Amino acid sequence: MFDEYVSGAVGRAKVQPIRLATPLLEDMVKHIESKAPGSMLIAGTAGDGKTYHCRALWLRLGGDPKAWTAKGNVKELRLADGRLAVFIKDLSEFNGQESDLPLQRLERSVLGGDDSEVLIIAANHGQILDRLRDLGKRQGLRHPLRTPLQECFLQAGPAPDRLAVFDLSRTTTRKTLEEVARAVAGHPEWDNCSRCSLNADGKVCPIDENRRRLLGDADGGQLASRIGDLVEIARLNGLHLPVRDLLALCANMVLGYSDAKEAKENLMTCADVAKIQEADHVSKANIYANAFGANLPKRRASDRPVFKAMASFGVGEETTNGADGLLVYGKDDSRLQADFQRLVASDPIYGGTASYLAAQNDYLEGHEGARLEAAAGFTEMLEDQRRRLYFTLPKDELGYSRWAMTVFRYAGDYLGIIDTLTEKKTQVSEAVRARIAKGLNRVLTGLLLENSDRIFIASSGGFTQSRVSVLCDHETAARRQQGVGMAIKLNTMTGRPFLEVQLAPGAANRVIFDLTPIRHEFLSRVAEGSLPASFSNECLEDLMAFKAKLLRKAETVRKDGIADDDEVSGEDSAMTLNFIDIEPGGRGSTRPVTVRAPA
């Protein structure tokens, strides 16, 4: 329905549509041309571009564009090899048992070995699993395609035999966002703006200004790159943002406006620009605030996963003393004036605007009544300035950290881990590895340890979930040495790093911990002194589950070692316990204590 609506809207507006890459189209074409037996499923979530890919495949195989847009959800095309290609544009358009017919044709092709047809079905993950479940119930069995498809979607397992699965939900990355930004901001229709009177005689058209900033005219693409960083962190935390949401994000960045009285639904049209210019309110179209949906009503912003995800980074609300000192006092403080001029005042449209400088002056210099009145407005402006700083701070700016102005203060290091592991040219930064090891030690023991060279796998005398554990069951190196110890590796399927703790040689003696951005943030914050329970109970529970796996593995390794060495006789009733002591300076060490049963 969405694909058809867009096709119709493009025709009515008489403009060229936004064209995006179809990342899996070539593989789909190759699959059809290879005459591989069976059928094809184009899967994903709402907004991933399933129907868009389906239509592109139809056209590549020689289908008539008018036949595609004609009424009907099922389209048939005779292929050059004699097979009949049956396109199901969207399985969700079938109500209830209406979907039985296409699914039964799929059964004949995939399970029955019928090679006269090749079905090409576009379907949401949940939709096709639900329809297969219901069909199986009516058939009195568990449908044979449901379990393998579920494993394929959720665990990246193999596709069922004779069914090629193209999952679009796995194709959205920061590169997708950058492509969408170029397609939106670089569309050829924008050339008309160069002849517009709203862009002449020194006037600033906020729509064209935002478009050029998104395109990277002034900063070499830094804005889009940093939006890409946030999208990537959200993805690695398990949040999928479909192409439709990325289009909405870019459209809002260009057209967003924070005053609904001057722009309907907080989105500008060309007709609004003249009024905005006359009122000198161009700064209300701040692209850096629009990126977080700050121009939208809270309910509307929360309805879109992309704006909910962007808001979750806390940009604008999180800050540092250095950033706020610059933004509040930089104009008057001789030590900060040069930075203020370079980082704030140099942008007269969204940075050191007349309205911001006036509000700043009232906040700092006005009489008591004026200061109280100005405080609320200035605080709101300050949030927008923090958002702008996140995007505009130079990459290696000393004294100001853009990630420190988000809830993910160590996200830059996390992305650095991925870059390092992807390039395979250097090792993960020693400082980053040491911080992870230190945080891990503090969680596993509940003690304020400073060790970053050893990992203490500790308990309180049993397999309890005790937060404080002073008995060391096993000790291993925090850096992989001779096949034993901790290593940081990359999962090529998810794109995320993971910790691999090897307690003894052999694949059976390792324990793996998936290092998501929020788990990395948790370990880093704990290493720097935060209390575990004050940050994220979910992360703490994940680490406790990891600790339980380590303890079980340590017990297995210990038993295997005793069996191999045969050091303990049946008559020896002594037990050695290794207590963790904290030395001056916070370093932990183990102190063996031998316990014997009374005679």
Short mmCIF file of all heavy atoms in Angstrom, two decimals, residues 207-249:
data_model
loop_
_atom_site.label_atom_id
_atom_site.label_comp_id
_atom_site.label_asym_id
_atom_site.label_seq_id
_atom_site.Cartn_x
_atom_site.Cartn_y
_atom_site.Cartn_z
N ILE A 207 14.80 25.96 4.53
CA ILE A 207 14.70 24.65 3.87
C ILE A 207 15.96 24.38 3.06
O ILE A 207 16.58 23.31 3.17
CB ILE A 207 13.46 24.59 2.96
CG1 ILE A 207 12.17 24.70 3.79
CG2 ILE A 207 13.45 23.29 2.14
CD1 ILE A 207 10.89 24.72 2.97
N ASP A 208 16.39 25.35 2.26
CA ASP A 208 17.58 25.15 1.44
C ASP A 208 18.84 25.09 2.30
O ASP A 208 19.76 24.32 2.02
CB ASP A 208 17.71 26.29 0.42
CG ASP A 208 18.78 26.01 -0.63
OD1 ASP A 208 18.71 24.94 -1.26
OD2 ASP A 208 19.67 26.85 -0.80
N GLU A 209 18.86 25.86 3.37
CA GLU A 209 20.01 25.83 4.29
C GLU A 209 20.16 24.46 4.92
O GLU A 209 21.26 23.89 4.97
CB GLU A 209 19.83 26.90 5.38
CG GLU A 209 20.93 26.94 6.43
CD GLU A 209 22.27 27.43 5.86
OE1 GLU A 209 22.26 28.15 4.84
OE2 GLU A 209 23.32 27.09 6.45
N ASN A 210 19.05 23.91 5.39
CA ASN A 210 19.09 22.58 6.01
C ASN A 210 19.47 21.51 5.00
O ASN A 210 20.21 20.57 5.31
CB ASN A 210 17.73 22.25 6.63
CG ASN A 210 17.45 23.06 7.89
OD1 ASN A 210 18.34 23.73 8.41
ND2 ASN A 210 16.22 23.01 8.37
N ARG A 211 18.96 21.64 3.80
CA ARG A 211 19.28 20.66 2.76
C ARG A 211 20.78 20.63 2.48
O ARG A 211 21.40 19.57 2.39
CB ARG A 211 18.51 21.00 1.48
CG ARG A 211 18.84 20.08 0.32
CD ARG A 211 18.29 20.63 -0.97
NE ARG A 211 19.04 21.78 -1.46
CZ ARG A 211 20.16 21.70 -2.17
NH1 ARG A 211 20.70 20.52 -2.44
NH2 ARG A 211 20.77 22.79 -2.60
N ARG A 212 21.37 21.82 2.36
CA ARG A 212 22.80 21.89 2.04
C ARG A 212 23.65 21.40 3.21
O ARG A 212 24.69 20.77 3.02
CB ARG A 212 23.19 23.31 1.64
CG ARG A 212 22.64 23.68 0.23
CD ARG A 212 23.14 25.01 -0.29
NE ARG A 212 22.59 26.13 0.44
CZ ARG A 212 23.24 26.85 1.35
NH1 ARG A 212 24.50 26.54 1.65
NH2 ARG A 212 22.67 27.85 1.98
N ARG A 213 23.18 21.65 4.42
CA ARG A 213 23.93 21.13 5.59
C ARG A 213 23.85 19.61 5.66
O ARG A 213 24.84 18.96 5.99
CB ARG A 213 23.39 21.77 6.88
CG ARG A 213 23.69 23.26 6.98
CD ARG A 213 23.53 23.80 8.38
NE ARG A 213 23.77 25.23 8.41
CZ ARG A 213 24.22 25.91 9.47
NH1 ARG A 213 24.50 25.27 10.60
NH2 ARG A 213 24.40 27.21 9.41
N LEU A 214 22.68 19.06 5.36
CA LEU A 214 22.55 17.60 5.35
C LEU A 214 23.41 17.00 4.26
O LEU A 214 24.00 15.93 4.43
CB LEU A 214 21.09 17.21 5.17
CG LEU A 214 20.77 15.70 5.13
CD1 LEU A 214 21.26 14.99 6.39
CD2 LEU A 214 19.28 15.47 4.93
N LEU A 215 23.50 17.69 3.15
CA LEU A 215 24.30 17.21 2.02
C LEU A 215 25.80 17.29 2.32
O LEU A 215 26.60 16.59 1.69
CB LEU A 215 23.97 18.02 0.77
CG LEU A 215 24.36 17.43 -0.59
CD1 LEU A 215 23.72 16.06 -0.79
CD2 LEU A 215 23.93 18.38 -1.71
N GLY A 216 26.18 18.12 3.30
CA GLY A 216 27.59 18.20 3.70
C GLY A 216 28.37 19.27 2.98
O GLY A 216 29.60 19.21 2.94
N ASP A 217 27.69 20.29 2.44
CA ASP A 217 28.38 21.34 1.70
C ASP A 217 29.42 22.07 2.56
O ASP A 217 30.49 22.43 2.08
CB ASP A 217 27.37 22.37 1.17
CG ASP A 217 26.64 21.85 -0.06
OD1 ASP A 217 26.92 20.70 -0.45
OD2 ASP A 217 25.78 22.57 -0.60
N ALA A 218 29.10 22.29 3.84
CA ALA A 218 29.97 23.10 4.68
C ALA A 218 30.93 22.28 5.54
O ALA A 218 32.01 22.77 5.91
CB ALA A 218 29.12 24.01 5.59
N ASP A 219 30.56 21.06 5.88
CA ASP A 219 31.38 20.29 6.84
C ASP A 219 31.94 19.00 6.26
O ASP A 219 32.44 18.15 7.01
CB ASP A 219 30.56 19.98 8.10
CG ASP A 219 29.35 19.09 7.81
OD1 ASP A 219 29.21 18.61 6.67
OD2 ASP A 219 28.55 18.86 8.74
N GLY A 220 31.87 18.84 4.94
CA GLY A 220 32.43 17.64 4.33
C GLY A 220 31.71 16.35 4.69
O GLY A 220 32.31 15.27 4.67
N GLY A 221 30.43 16.46 5.04
CA GLY A 221 29.65 15.26 5.36
C GLY A 221 29.68 14.85 6.82
O GLY A 221 29.21 13.77 7.17
N GLN A 222 30.21 15.70 7.71
CA GLN A 222 30.33 15.33 9.12
C GLN A 222 28.96 15.15 9.77
O GLN A 222 28.78 14.25 10.60
CB GLN A 222 31.12 16.41 9.87
CG GLN A 222 31.30 16.10 11.36
CD GLN A 222 32.26 17.05 12.05
OE1 GLN A 222 33.46 16.96 11.85
NE2 GLN A 222 31.74 17.98 12.84
N LEU A 223 27.99 16.01 9.42
CA LEU A 223 26.65 15.90 10.00
C LEU A 223 26.05 14.53 9.72
O LEU A 223 25.60 13.83 10.64
CB LEU A 223 25.75 17.01 9.46
CG LEU A 223 24.25 16.91 9.78
CD1 LEU A 223 24.03 16.91 11.28
CD2 LEU A 223 23.48 18.05 9.13
N ALA A 224 26.04 14.12 8.45
CA ALA A 224 25.48 12.81 8.09
C ALA A 224 26.27 11.68 8.73
O ALA A 224 25.70 10.66 9.15
CB ALA A 224 25.45 12.66 6.57
N SER A 225 27.58 11.83 8.83
CA SER A 225 28.43 10.80 9.43
C SER A 225 28.09 10.61 10.91
O SER A 225 28.03 9.48 11.41
CB SER A 225 29.90 11.17 9.27
OG SER A 225 30.73 10.25 9.94
N ARG A 226 27.84 11.73 11.61
CA ARG A 226 27.55 11.62 13.04
C ARG A 226 26.13 11.14 13.31
O ARG A 226 25.89 10.48 14.32
CB ARG A 226 27.85 12.95 13.73
CG ARG A 226 29.35 13.21 13.73
CD ARG A 226 29.78 14.38 14.58
NE ARG A 226 31.25 14.48 14.55
CZ ARG A 226 31.94 15.43 15.16
NH1 ARG A 226 31.31 16.37 15.84
NH2 ARG A 226 33.25 15.43 15.10
N ILE A 227 25.21 11.46 12.40
CA ILE A 227 23.89 10.84 12.48
C ILE A 227 24.06 9.34 12.28
O ILE A 227 23.44 8.52 12.97
CB ILE A 227 22.95 11.42 11.40
CG1 ILE A 227 22.45 12.80 11.83
CG2 ILE A 227 21.77 10.50 11.17
CD1 ILE A 227 21.31 12.79 12.81
N GLY A 228 24.93 8.97 11.33
CA GLY A 228 25.20 7.56 11.07
C GLY A 228 25.76 6.85 12.29
O GLY A 228 25.43 5.69 12.55
N ASP A 229 26.61 7.54 13.07
CA ASP A 229 27.13 6.95 14.31
C ASP A 229 25.99 6.58 15.26
O ASP A 229 25.99 5.49 15.87
CB ASP A 229 28.07 7.93 15.02
CG ASP A 229 29.41 8.07 14.32
OD1 ASP A 229 29.75 7.20 13.51
OD2 ASP A 229 30.12 9.06 14.59
N LEU A 230 25.02 7.49 15.41
CA LEU A 230 23.90 7.24 16.31
C LEU A 230 23.03 6.10 15.80
O LEU A 230 22.60 5.24 16.59
CB LEU A 230 23.06 8.52 16.47
CG LEU A 230 23.78 9.74 17.06
CD1 LEU A 230 22.84 10.92 17.16
CD2 LEU A 230 24.37 9.42 18.43
N VAL A 231 22.78 6.08 14.49
CA VAL A 231 21.99 4.99 13.90
C VAL A 231 22.70 3.66 14.09
O VAL A 231 22.07 2.64 14.39
CB VAL A 231 21.73 5.27 12.40
CG1 VAL A 231 21.18 4.04 11.70
CG2 VAL A 231 20.77 6.44 12.24
N GLU A 232 24.02 3.67 13.96
CA GLU A 232 24.80 2.44 14.11
C GLU A 232 24.77 1.94 15.55
O GLU A 232 24.60 0.75 15.81
CB GLU A 232 26.24 2.68 13.66
CG GLU A 232 27.07 1.43 13.50
CD GLU A 232 26.69 0.58 12.30
OE1 GLU A 232 25.70 0.90 11.61
OE2 GLU A 232 27.37 -0.42 12.07
N ILE A 233 24.91 2.85 16.51
CA ILE A 233 24.84 2.45 17.92
C ILE A 233 23.46 1.87 18.23
O ILE A 233 23.33 0.85 18.93
CB ILE A 233 25.15 3.65 18.85
CG1 ILE A 233 26.62 4.05 18.74
CG2 ILE A 233 24.80 3.31 20.30
CD1 ILE A 233 27.60 3.03 19.28
N ALA A 234 22.41 2.51 17.73
CA ALA A 234 21.05 2.01 17.94
C ALA A 234 20.90 0.61 17.35
O ALA A 234 20.32 -0.29 17.96
CB ALA A 234 20.03 2.97 17.34
N ARG A 235 21.42 0.41 16.13
CA ARG A 235 21.33 -0.90 15.48
C ARG A 235 22.07 -1.96 16.28
O ARG A 235 21.56 -3.07 16.49
CB ARG A 235 21.92 -0.82 14.06
CG ARG A 235 21.85 -2.14 13.30
CD ARG A 235 22.55 -2.04 11.95
NE ARG A 235 23.99 -1.99 12.07
CZ ARG A 235 24.77 -3.05 12.19
NH1 ARG A 235 24.25 -4.26 12.26
NH2 ARG A 235 26.08 -2.93 12.28
N LEU A 236 23.26 -1.64 16.75
CA LEU A 236 24.06 -2.62 17.49
C LEU A 236 23.47 -2.91 18.86
O LEU A 236 23.80 -3.92 19.48
CB LEU A 236 25.51 -2.11 17.61
CG LEU A 236 26.26 -2.03 16.27
CD1 LEU A 236 27.55 -1.23 16.43
CD2 LEU A 236 26.55 -3.42 15.73
N ASN A 237 22.59 -2.02 19.33
CA ASN A 237 21.86 -2.29 20.57
C ASN A 237 20.61 -3.12 20.32
O ASN A 237 19.84 -3.40 21.24
CB ASN A 237 21.46 -0.97 21.25
CG ASN A 237 22.47 -0.55 22.31
OD1 ASN A 237 23.09 -1.40 22.96
ND2 ASN A 237 22.64 0.74 22.49
N GLY A 238 20.39 -3.49 19.05
CA GLY A 238 19.27 -4.37 18.73
C GLY A 238 18.06 -3.67 18.16
O GLY A 238 17.02 -4.31 17.95
N LEU A 239 18.14 -2.36 17.91
CA LEU A 239 17.00 -1.63 17.36
C LEU A 239 17.13 -1.54 15.85
O LEU A 239 18.12 -1.00 15.34
CB LEU A 239 16.92 -0.23 17.96
CG LEU A 239 15.78 0.65 17.45
CD1 LEU A 239 14.43 0.05 17.82
CD2 LEU A 239 15.87 2.06 18.01
N HIS A 240 16.15 -2.05 15.14
CA HIS A 240 16.17 -2.00 13.67
C HIS A 240 15.41 -0.77 13.20
O HIS A 240 14.25 -0.56 13.57
CB HIS A 240 15.54 -3.27 13.09
CG HIS A 240 15.36 -3.21 11.61
ND1 HIS A 240 16.42 -3.04 10.74
CD2 HIS A 240 14.24 -3.26 10.83
CE1 HIS A 240 15.96 -3.01 9.50
NE2 HIS A 240 14.65 -3.14 9.53
N LEU A 241 16.05 0.06 12.39
CA LEU A 241 15.42 1.25 11.82
C LEU A 241 15.27 1.03 10.31
O LEU A 241 16.26 1.07 9.58
CB LEU A 241 16.27 2.48 12.10
CG LEU A 241 16.46 2.85 13.58
CD1 LEU A 241 17.41 4.02 13.73
CD2 LEU A 241 15.12 3.15 14.23
N PRO A 242 14.06 0.80 9.84
CA PRO A 242 13.86 0.53 8.41
C PRO A 242 14.10 1.78 7.57
O PRO A 242 14.16 2.90 8.08
CB PRO A 242 12.39 0.08 8.34
CG PRO A 242 11.75 0.67 9.54
CD PRO A 242 12.80 0.70 10.60
N VAL A 243 14.23 1.58 6.27
CA VAL A 243 14.49 2.68 5.34
C VAL A 243 13.42 3.75 5.44
O VAL A 243 13.71 4.95 5.37
CB VAL A 243 14.59 2.14 3.90
CG1 VAL A 243 14.68 3.28 2.90
CG2 VAL A 243 15.81 1.24 3.76
N ARG A 244 12.17 3.34 5.64
CA ARG A 244 11.09 4.32 5.73
C ARG A 244 11.33 5.29 6.89
O ARG A 244 11.06 6.49 6.77
CB ARG A 244 9.75 3.61 5.90
CG ARG A 244 8.54 4.51 5.75
CD ARG A 244 7.26 3.76 5.99
NE ARG A 244 7.12 2.62 5.10
CZ ARG A 244 6.17 1.70 5.21
NH1 ARG A 244 5.28 1.78 6.19
NH2 ARG A 244 6.10 0.69 4.37
N ASP A 245 11.84 4.80 8.00
CA ASP A 245 12.12 5.68 9.15
C ASP A 245 13.30 6.59 8.86
O ASP A 245 13.33 7.74 9.31
CB ASP A 245 12.40 4.83 10.39
CG ASP A 245 11.13 4.54 11.17
OD1 ASP A 245 10.06 4.53 10.53
OD2 ASP A 245 11.20 4.33 12.39
N LEU A 246 14.29 6.09 8.14
CA LEU A 246 15.44 6.93 7.79
C LEU A 246 15.01 8.05 6.84
O LEU A 246 15.53 9.17 6.92
CB LEU A 246 16.55 6.08 7.18
CG LEU A 246 17.10 4.95 8.06
CD1 LEU A 246 18.25 4.24 7.36
CD2 LEU A 246 17.55 5.48 9.42
N LEU A 247 14.09 7.75 5.94
CA LEU A 247 13.54 8.78 5.06
C LEU A 247 12.80 9.84 5.88
O LEU A 247 12.92 11.05 5.63
CB LEU A 247 12.59 8.16 4.04
CG LEU A 247 13.26 7.44 2.85
CD1 LEU A 247 12.26 6.54 2.15
CD2 LEU A 247 13.84 8.45 1.88
N ALA A 248 12.02 9.39 6.88
CA ALA A 248 11.31 10.33 7.75
C ALA A 248 12.28 11.21 8.53
O ALA A 248 12.06 12.41 8.70
CB ALA A 248 10.41 9.56 8.71
N LEU A 249 13.38 10.61 8.99
CA LEU A 249 14.39 11.38 9.73
C LEU A 249 14.99 12.47 8.86
O LEU A 249 15.08 13.64 9.27
CB LEU A 249 15.49 10.42 10.22
CG LEU A 249 16.74 11.06 10.82
CD1 LEU A 249 16.39 11.84 12.09
CD2 LEU A 249 17.79 10.01 11.14
#
